[in-house]
Amino acid sequence: MRIFITAVLVLFAFVFQTSLLDVIQIGNIRPNLVVMVIIQIALLRGYYEGGIVGLCAGIVMDIMTGRIFGAFALLCMLIGLLSGGFHHRIFKENFLSAMMFTFVFINVYEVLFYIFQYFVWGQHQFSYAFMQYVLPTAIYSTVISAPIYMLLYRINEWLLARENDYF
Amino acid sequence: TLGFIVTPMQQATTWVKSGVRNTFGYFSDNQKIRQQNEAYENELAALQNENFALKQMDVENKRLRQMLDFKRTNAQFELVGANVIAKDSSNWFQKFTIDKGTNDGLTKDCAVINHQVLVGSIYDIGLNYAMVSAIIDDSSAVSALVVRTKDVTMLKGDLTLQKQGLCKLTYIPRDADIIPGDVLETSGLGGRFPKGLLIGRIKEIGKENAEYYNFAQVEPAVDFKRIEEVFIIKNSPQVVKQ
């Protein structure tokens, strides 16, 4: 049940990000919903599940964007593993700490993306890329992460209650 | 004599009667007017909605008519219409997905246009979808011809310009007589895009001291923020060979 619900959440996040978030873009910047969901699931469930969710979400993005297979998968898995490492160090009820981690790890994700997509191929416009792409994406994603985290937290609590009843 | 006495009395009685009637009539008419007003307001709202829908249909009708006229006047192209259904998941790229694929006879590298204006090309394709790379995307490169001077140059996407919806014209010879406002179209070289498709206009020209060639900022003729429908030239490689 947990696997099914997580898969549906990631799929919905991807579909919304590619089809619907266009409507709320500000200055050509859309929030990164998929990476936000990966980070928040990792914070709630730990690095093991965060890494797997990141890997699977990244594979979906690789298939649907038609570029080099594995790039998104590895990057998202890394973000899932890193953010899952803080699973035992946050108050999960407090959405502000989730927002803070979302901001930090989306920055990490976008910087790594820029490095592997542009910097290693000779495009050295880091300050422009950071100010025009990385930071605005992180800020916008953080602003909308609070309701998303509350939803994921409630779903996680419901699933935990079901699993405790089952066992 | 009797009439002389009775007539003023009749006038007075009639005056009182009409006064009373008007007073009572005021309250009953008020309710009727209120009901009528409500009915008119509902009718007005319905007509306004209908008017808005008709205006939307008129705009769509004009757009589709333009696309149909384009299809008729460019008979050498086998055109397939498609809708844009999704954008790239990342903010870094200017790519989008359309709802036609190999089932509709499309192949990789087919040119994608909008009212005779170049939009991009297909870089990945499935059975019922295709992914298009726009000309302003960083990975895009198109051989472009300056219509006025016949200079052949290269149009590329640029990370620093794509957010503004612009792209970069490179390999402009130093002695080329190119000015802002010059129109660009596809040159037909390279084997991917048919000749003569409008690209856009030169916005600004720049010079790099260490480089042999100049460069320019190009404003494409298509608005990539509002693109909804496109045409794909199914037989673009064959048309290019002709």
Side-chain angles (χ1 to χ4, degrees):
Chain A
M1 183 66 167
R2 180 177 284 278
I3 295 171
F4 174 74
I5 288 180
T6 307
V8 165
L9 284 170
V10 169
L11 210 58
F12 266 102
F14 180 78
V15 169
F16 284 174
Q17 184 164 326
T18 51
S19 304
L20 282 180
L21 289 193
D22 213 37
V23 174
I24 60 167
Q25 67 181 2
I26 299 174
N28 270 345
I29 296 291
R30 289 168 287 156
N32 199 332
L33 203 56
V34 176
V35 174
M36 193 195 314
V37 166
I38 294 169
I39 292 167
Q40 292 176 351
I41 289 177
L43 287 173
L44 288 169
R45 300 294 300 166
Y47 66 86
Y48 184 70
E49 279 191 44
I52 293 175
V53 169
L55 179 68
C56 297
I59 287 173
V60 168
M61 287 164 77
D62 281 324
I63 292 170
M64 294 309 296
T65 51
R67 286 189 285 274
I68 302 169
F69 187 82
F72 278 121
L74 289 174
L75 204 46
C76 290
M77 185 179 73
L78 179 66
I79 292 298
L81 287 170
L82 287 176
S83 50
F86 293 89
H87 162 66
H88 291 297
R89 293 181 173 82
I90 66 163
F91 288 111
K92 293 178 188 54
E93 300 80 10
N94 186 354
F95 66 89
L96 289 174
S97 50
M99 283 174 76
M100 186 188 73
F101 279 100
T102 301
F103 178 77
V104 168
F105 283 107
I106 287 191
N107 270 304
V108 170
Y109 171 86
E110 296 287 347
V111 166
L112 287 174
F113 187 91
Y114 168 77
I115 289 171
F116 290 118
Q117 186 68 30
Y118 295 100
F119 194 82
V120 295
W121 301 106
Q123 291 206 41
H124 301 148
Q125 303 128 331
F126 183 77
S127 57
Y128 178 88
F130 188 81
M131 296 305 294
Q132 296 294 326
Y133 288 92
V134 176
L135 200 56
T137 304
I139 291 171
Y140 199 178
S141 304
T142 305
V143 166
I144 71 158
S145 65
I148 310 276
Y149 179 75
M150 287 180 206
L151 172 67
L152 291 176
Y153 176 77
R154 295 258 183 279
I155 292 173
N156 186 50
E157 290 298 298
W158 176 72
L159 285 168
L160 280 173
R162 268 182 60 105
E163 283 155 12
N164 286 339
D165 286 343
Y166 184 75
F167 291 110
Chain B
T1 310
L2 187 66
F4 183 74
I5 297 168
V6 167
T7 304
M9 290 168 70
Q10 284 174 333
Q11 281 177 335
T13 312
T14 305
W15 180 81
V16 169
K17 182 186 75 176
S18 64
V20 170
R21 185 186 289 167
N22 284 343
T23 305
F24 282 108
Y26 175 79
F27 290 106
S28 69
D29 285 350
N30 203 10
Q31 196 183 357
K32 273 187 209 162
I33 289 168
R34 201 177 293 141
Q35 285 171 350
Q36 257 181 358
N37 197 31
E38 207 176 300
Y40 287 147
E41 274 177 3
N42 290 339
E43 194 180 342
L44 179 65
L47 287 171
Q48 278 175 338
N49 285 341
E50 194 181 332
N51 192 31
F52 179 72
L54 287 171
K55 277 184 183 163
Q56 296 279 84
M57 282 166 64
D58 185 45
V59 167
E60 194 184 350
N61 188 26
K62 281 184 182 139
R63 198 172 68 235
L64 292 172
R65 210 173 267 283
Q66 270 181 327
M67 291 174 91
L68 191 60
D69 286 341
F70 168 64
K71 203 168 173 174
R72 283 192 186 130
T73 53
N74 290 277
Q76 76 274 26
F77 295 150
E78 279 181 57
L79 297 174
V80 173
N83 294 311
V84 175
I85 55 171
K87 296 280 173 78
D88 193 272
S89 58
S90 153
N91 288 320
W92 298 91
F93 303 115
Q94 298 293 325
K95 301 182 198 294
F96 54 88
T97 306
I98 57 175
D99 60 356
K100 294 276 160 63
T102 51
N103 281 348
D104 305 282
L106 302 183
T107 55
K108 243 173 133 176
D109 293 333
C110 280
V112 179
I113 59 176
N114 184 3
H115 303 306
Q116 208 165 0
V117 177
L118 182 66
V119 171
S121 64
I122 293 176
Y123 73 92
D124 193 33
I125 194 161
L127 289 173
N128 59 350
Y129 70 92
M131 290 176 192
V132 178
S133 174
I135 56 171
I136 58 172
D137 185 75
D138 190 62
S139 63
S140 167
V142 179
S143 176
L145 175 78
V146 182
V147 173
R148 185 176 61 87
T149 65
K150 306 293 179 217
D151 287 304
V152 176
T153 55
M154 180 68 77
L155 185 83
K156 288 183 174 179
D158 189 270
L159 183 66
T160 55
L161 296 174
Q162 67 181 16
K163 256 185 110 182
Q164 302 150 55
L166 303 174
C167 41
K168 195 174 179 179
L169 194 67
T170 57
Y171 298 115
I172 303 174
R174 287 253 176 190
D175 57 352
D177 177 32
I178 292 175
I179 55 173
D182 275 341
V183 173
L184 295 172
E185 62 181 30
T186 50
S187 66
L189 300 175
R192 278 173 64 211
F193 301 105
K195 187 177 179 346
L197 295 174
L198 178 65
I199 294 174
R201 286 184 185 276
I202 291 179
K203 194 178 175 193
E204 206 178 301
I205 295 175
K207 291 176 171 46
E208 287 183 58
N209 292 330
E211 298 285 336
Y212 180 74
Y213 294 103
N214 291 339
F215 68 93
Q217 284 184 11
V218 172
E219 187 175 3
V222 66
D223 184 359
F224 286 98
K225 287 181 194 166
R226 288 172 182 76
I227 195 164
E228 290 175 1
E229 288 149 352
V230 294
F231 274 120
I232 302 97
I233 303 176
K234 256 168 84 166
N235 56 339
S236 46
Q238 289 87 341
V239 171
V240 171
K241 279 181 193 156
Q242 288 166 15

